[in-house]
Amino acid sequence: AAEGMPPTPEAVDAMAELGIRVEGRSKPLTRAMIEHATAVFCLTERHARAVRAMVEDDPELVSRIRRLDPEGDIDDPIGRGPAVYRAVADRLLAVVPAALQSWSRAARA
């Protein structure tokens, strides 16, 4: 998304069905954001590679970056209708807790 874009109405609706209120606007990821993050989760491996390239000179920063779902990419639903947005929301509900647990275990090791 370009900087300053609001969430799509379909995203807002899909999250509202889950009782989650969505607000805000898009921001491009910066190196400073990565430096301040403890983990950076990407929806696709292509995104993860692009983010790693931003900090390739720092192995510690590179190690913070991973694909959210190790089983495969989560494709952007934009322009694909409400049912696809709901499917993505359901998948996120399934994979986010596992990703956070995995990251937490790795951080403690």
Side-chain angles (χ1 to χ4, degrees):
E3 184 170 5
M5 297 296 295
T8 65
E10 296 89 351
V12 172
D13 291 345
M15 299 307 284
E17 289 178 15
L18 300 171
I20 301 169
R21 184 175 168 186
V22 177
E23 295 179 357
R25 301 227 172 227
S26 62
K27 284 178 146 177
L29 183 66
T30 65
R31 182 183 180 101
M33 290 175 176
I34 299 167
E35 290 169 348
H36 288 95
T38 53
V40 178
F41 294 102
C42 301
L43 296 183
T44 68
E45 187 55 38
R46 186 175 131 259
H47 290 148
R49 282 193 306 270
V51 174
R52 287 183 198 112
M54 294 172 67
V55 293
E56 65 190 352
D57 62 319
D58 188 330
E60 199 279 319
L61 293 178
V62 169
S63 73
R64 298 176 189 183
I65 302 159
R66 63 191 71 195
R67 188 172 55 191
L68 180 63
D69 185 354
E71 299 296 317
D73 288 351
I74 301 174
D75 292 324
D76 189 340
I78 196 156
R80 296 175 52 202
V84 177
Y85 277 85
R86 280 191 226 87
V88 169
D90 289 341
R91 186 163 174 201
L92 290 172
L93 281 173
V95 300
V96 167
L100 292 174
Q101 286 178 341
S102 172
W103 165 78
S104 179
R105 281 192 301 271
R108 284 182 273 178

